[in-house]
Amino acid sequence: MHNMETREKIQFKPETVAEINRIISQFPQGKQKSALLRILHIAQHEFGNWLSVEVMDYIAEFLNIKPIEVYEVASFYSMYNLNPVGKVVLEVCHTGPCCLVGAEKMIKHIEQTLNIKPGETTSDGMFTLKTVECLGACGYGPMLQIGEDYHEKLTIEKLDNLLNVIKNKNN
Amino acid sequence: MGRKILLEKTGIENINTYEVYRREGGYSAVEKALKKMTPEEVVEEVKKSGLRGRGGAGFPAGMKWSFIAKPEGVPRYLLCNADESEPGTFKDRFLMEKIPHLLIEGMILSSYALGCNTSYIYIRGEYMWILRILEKALEEARQNGWLGKNILKSGYDLEIYVSPGAGAYICGEETALIESLEGKRGNPRMKPPFPAVKGLWQSPTVVNNVETISSVVSIVNNGGEQYASIGLGKSTGTKLISACGNIRKPGVYEIELGISVEEFLYSDEYCGGINNGKRLKACIPGGSSVPILPHYLVTKTANGEQRLMTYESLADGGFATGSMLGSGGFIVFDEDQCIVRNTWNFSRFYHHESCGQCSPCREGTGWMDKVLKRIEYGKGNMHDIDLLVSISKNIEGNTICPLGDAAAWPVASAIRHFREEFEWHIKEPVKCLETNYGLVKETELEA
Ligand SMILES: Cc1cc2nc3c(=O)[nH]c(=O)nc-3n(C[C@H](O)[C@H](O)[C@H](O)COP(=O)(O)O)c2cc1C
Ligand code: FES
């Protein structure tokens, strides 16, 4: 997707660079790699919701570590998207406790409403549906996460409302 | 009303802010420790308190602290485990959201006791909004002189930082957490060397759960003996229990250790009983990794004694008829829930979360996931049940970290107590799918 032309454009905003330097300074000299996970979150946010190889290479350069050290971390943790995703990612918990209170019904409802399966993105590029494991909201299920926000105690009506609000906001 | 220590003040308006926390007596334990106590005396009080680790294993905190190596000129680290990813567990989040300064005060006390000048809170990446709450609270603490150089002119320096994970259950395991905090994949390390000798960046390190560290505040304020007088026997103090599943009042509760399971499950002060007037089918009392208990072993032990909310009583009967207090993730199943489906669900979870280093866990969790799925979808055969038992036995104890055990126990205990339900899925697949619980009846026979 990215070629050498876009490669040049991969650069953190100045305020992001300041934030990243603040994070790096929390670790001893030479241990800047410890900042990697947080920087990957920031990069994913800044560069369109996913981590391309070019973005990972840029971070490796930034932290003065080998590209493979970034790839192996990015591929280990489930919060990083290694492929493009929709503008809004619906991360629905499908672990046991949430299923006891109806998570599967919510997932099915999203599948039917948006006409996508988990892992897929709507054709307009708006929504991606992702099933995820327990997010620490088991007593407030069913639940889903969008960006940093938790949406808890979901019902079909709440879900419909939420999807409509998002659609309207992005139109 | 039960005794409250951790949640005593969470009802106070704006207790999440520095001003109110301080006004309500916050940070007085730091004043006491730094002005009047040596680090050794703080460790001594924690030992006397009998406080046990609240992250799952229940290891005595004071004893863990006394193991930390103290080589000259090498920094030591305290890491707070805020990974909270054991299914059924959502208590640490409650503390950090409601009263973040309590954790910070506990971190200062614990770091002082251990002789750490830099400490980290490792928090799961999905809790990014809580990371921001903590960073704001840390900044307030710093501005008011509780962090930084020469705190309260005691000569003691401390900085505390927060660092996120990015979605990996395994990073709650202490050595995987250390790897992750070093910016690597969360592959657990071989022990020995133990983190107390070689942990973060090969330095002596202690990892403690959010709730354990927060409990230290009360211990320093009121003394270890006072803390030990609460609770029952070796289960001292109070414990946060996060209750979920088919109960009337899911949520986070602080209990005095030693109340009965019956009171916790049925009284209106806590869970309020089973939802929708249904009957209890089963309960997993300590997070998804501990054995499931069928209804007749939940409020009573196999000997007919009342079962209590303590480390000892929940484990009474061993693996045959007991379970564990674990992380305090209390998961309740009503009569409509399918045990096979839930067991498969958890197996899928462990399969997904296995880091892949050890073959018994990597292959075994995937195999159990597959076999359970085919049983749930009416495609299993009778040998599958014993196959599952055999796979779980071959994982248990054969891996670097306890994730293998955590994956094996739920399967073994579900088969032990609910064998007929597994057999029924195999013998009567069509009838089972027609009358089975939940969504399966809407699904095709094809898995
Ligand atoms: C797979 C696995 C996941 C774990 N997850 C957590 C966790 O999310 N939070 C936690 O505090 N401890 C967790 N633990 C336990 C930690 O390894 C460690 O025992 C604990 O953080 C020590 O703190 P404590 O003594 O205060 O309980 C986990 C252990 C394993 C094996
Ligand atoms: S099971 Fe869904 S948040 Fe824990």
Side-chain angles (χ1 to χ4, degrees):
Chain A
M1 202 169 224
H2 287 269
N3 53 30
M4 284 316 281
E5 262 168 72
T6 54
R7 169 78 179 85
E8 321 240 304
K9 285 195 220 132
I10 294 174
Q11 202 163 34
F12 286 126
K13 293 185 214 128
E15 59 269 30
T16 311
V17 173
E19 167 71 357
I20 290 176
N21 285 332
R22 179 184 75 89
I23 294 162
I24 292 174
S25 74
Q26 300 178 341
F27 300 100
Q29 278 275 313
K31 306 297 182 198
Q32 75 280 7
K33 185 173 166 179
S34 284
L36 178 57
L37 271 70
R38 190 152 178 195
I39 295 175
L40 286 171
H41 284 297
I42 294 172
Q44 180 158 293
H45 186 75
E46 192 152 321
F47 301 119
N49 243 346
W50 72 292
L51 298 168
S52 64
V53 170
E54 287 79 4
V55 165
M56 291 191 277
D57 289 348
Y58 170 65
I59 292 170
E61 230 172 88
F62 200 98
L63 278 176
N64 198 17
I65 57 179
K66 294 193 202 81
I68 182 71
E69 295 178 84
V70 181
Y71 307 158
E72 65 178 8
V73 164
S75 59
F76 185 85
Y77 296 92
S78 64
M79 287 179 78
Y80 302 129
N81 302 315
L82 298 183
N83 290 298
V85 291
K87 227 167 147 177
V88 174
V89 185
L90 307 168
E91 300 183 280
V92 194
C93 171
H94 70 155
T95 310
C98 275
C99 288
L100 292 180
V101 292
E104 287 157 313
K105 265 191 207 119
M106 298 300 137
I107 295 167
K108 194 152 245 174
H109 184 72
I110 298 175
E111 286 181 9
Q112 284 165 353
T113 311
L114 299 178
N115 202 16
I116 46 173
K117 294 258 172 242
E120 293 177 357
T121 301
T122 51
S123 51
D124 60 359
M126 175 74 84
F127 293 104
T128 296
L129 173 61
K130 200 168 156 183
T131 49
V132 295
E133 301 297 352
C134 180
L135 294 182
C138 328
Y140 323 116
M143 66 83 63
L144 63 80
Q145 181 166 27
I146 301 174
E148 286 187 17
D149 299 329
Y150 275 29
H151 299 267
E152 303 175 327
K153 297 192 177 163
L154 291 175
T155 58
I156 300 286
E157 296 79 65
K158 268 192 175 172
L159 202 50
D160 284 339
N161 247 330
L162 185 65
L163 295 179
N164 281 332
V165 169
I166 296 171
K167 276 185 203 153
N168 290 337
K169 220 171 46 192
N170 287 282
N171 264 340
Chain B
M1 284 291 279
R3 181 95 162 241
K4 304 260 180 295
I5 294 177
L6 295 163
L7 305 186
E8 188 193 356
K9 295 176 185 163
T10 45
I12 298 170
E13 206 180 332
N14 298 328
I15 193 72
N16 59 329
T17 64
Y18 174 76
E19 289 71 30
V20 176
Y21 183 76
R22 178 71 180 138
R23 190 191 71 206
E24 295 294 328
Y27 289 102
S28 57
V30 175
E31 283 178 317
K32 180 173 175 184
L34 264 55
K35 289 186 176 158
K36 297 191 196 133
M37 295 169 81
T38 64
E40 293 73 26
E41 283 168 346
V42 177
V43 176
E44 208 41 49
E45 289 305 318
V46 173
K47 273 191 185 162
K48 273 193 230 158
S49 75
L51 173 67
R52 294 167 68 170
R54 303 298 194 217
F59 193 82
M63 199 190 297
K64 185 189 268 190
W65 288 9
S66 64
F67 291 155
I68 194 167
K70 297 181 173 171
E72 251 335 278
V74 180
R76 304 193 274 277
Y77 295 102
L78 170 69
L79 308 182
C80 171
N81 190 341
D83 193 59
E84 186 152 79
S85 18
E86 167 96 354
T89 316
F90 49 100
K91 65 184 178 75
D92 296 336
R93 158 189 172 185
F94 190 83
L95 265 185
M96 294 185 286
E97 266 183 291
K98 297 278 174 197
I99 187 159
H101 285 282
L102 184 70
L103 173 61
I104 296 172
E105 185 170 8
M107 289 286 288
I108 300 173
L109 296 168
S110 309
S111 303
Y112 175 68
L114 290 161
C116 309
N117 299 114
T118 309
S119 298
Y120 296 94
I121 300 170
Y122 179 91
I123 190 165
R124 62 178 303 171
E126 295 90 342
Y127 285 176
M128 197 58 87
W129 90 94
I130 303 181
L131 177 146
R132 299 191 202 291
I133 291 175
L134 290 171
E135 284 201 332
K136 182 165 168 277
L138 284 166
E139 189 48 40
E140 290 171 331
R142 190 172 294 119
Q143 275 171 11
N144 287 282
W146 303 103
L147 290 170
K149 294 237 173 290
N150 196 14
I151 302 166
L152 301 180
K153 303 202 175 65
S154 63
Y156 177 60
D157 306 336
L158 176 66
E159 289 297 343
I160 301 175
Y161 302 112
V162 199
S163 196
Y169 167 64
I170 190 61
C171 291
E173 193 281 332
E174 57 181 9
T175 61
L177 185 155
I178 291 170
E179 286 284 302
S180 184
L181 191 54
E182 291 184 0
K184 302 181 202 152
R185 296 165 77 92
N187 289 342
R189 294 179 181 171
M190 287 279 225
K191 297 192 240 189
F194 287 90
V197 179
K198 283 190 156 80
L200 182 66
W201 304 309
Q202 298 299 311
S203 284
T205 301
V206 164
V207 181
N208 272 134
N209 174 259
V210 171
E211 185 186 346
T212 315
I213 293 174
S214 302
S215 299
V216 174
V217 176
S218 156
I219 293 169
V220 169
N221 269 327
N222 306 313
E225 266 163 35
Q226 205 267 350
Y227 190 88
S229 72
I230 305 163
L232 188 70
K234 286 191 173 156
S235 295
T236 62
T238 63
K239 172 92 189 81
L240 296 182
I241 307 288
S242 56
C244 63
N246 308 117
I247 47 176
R248 278 187 42 235
K249 293 170 57 199
V252 178
Y253 298 100
E254 181 168 17
I255 59 156
E256 180 167 348
L257 287 165
I259 69 167
S260 70
V261 175
E262 179 151 16
E263 178 184 356
F264 183 70
L265 182 54
Y266 291 104
S267 85
D268 278 335
E269 194 180 337
Y270 304 110
C271 303
I274 313 303
N275 208 5
N276 300 321
K278 304 230 174 192
R279 286 170 305 174
L280 172 70
K281 179 168 185 178
C283 173
I284 302 177
S288 63
S289 305
V290 310
I292 191 168
L293 294 172
H295 66 89
Y296 53 88
L297 288 173
V298 175
T299 56
K300 291 220 162 27
T301 66
N303 297 333
E305 281 164 24
Q306 208 180 36
R307 205 182 288 276
L308 307 177
M309 298 289 285
T310 60
Y311 291 94
E312 296 73 23
S313 181
L314 282 168
D316 187 290
F319 277 7
T321 60
S323 183
M324 289 196 283
L325 178 63
S327 63
F330 195 88
I331 311 169
V332 179
F333 299 75
D334 71 23
E335 57 191 291
D336 290 347
Q337 303 305 328
C338 174
I339 298 298
V340 176
R341 187 165 186 79
N342 185 72
T343 309
W344 167 46
N345 185 299
F346 282 152
S347 278
R348 187 207 61 220
F349 171 83
Y350 290 107
H351 178 204
H352 183 261
E353 301 301 334
S354 170
C355 80
Q357 271 192 119
C358 313
S359 341
C361 174
R362 182 186 62 241
E363 303 302 323
T365 53
W367 199 2
M368 291 197 301
D369 176 4
K370 202 166 118 186
V371 174
L372 279 159
K373 182 172 182 184
R374 86 176 164 234
I375 297 177
E376 169 64 2
Y377 283 89
K379 299 245 165 169
N381 66 61
M382 278 303 180
H383 302 300
D384 282 344
I385 301 179
D386 290 330
L387 175 62
L388 285 169
V389 174
S390 141
I391 301 170
S392 74
K393 281 211 180 99
N394 281 304
I395 301 175
E396 193 184 339
N398 290 326
T399 53
I400 291 176
C401 90
L403 187 136
D405 301 343
W409 294 340
V411 175
S413 64
I415 293 176
R416 191 179 315 122
H417 297 302
F418 295 94
R419 198 173 184 108
E420 307 92 83
E421 203 164 316
F422 286 83
E423 289 174 354
W424 182 57
H425 274 71
I426 292 162
K427 278 193 280 201
E428 302 273 4
V430 176
K431 199 164 144 208
C432 178
L433 282 170
E434 278 167 6
T435 53
N436 198 359
Y437 322 95
L439 279 187
V440 180
K441 55 179 170 246
E442 297 165 22
T443 326
E444 303 274 275
L445 243 169
E446 311 300 318

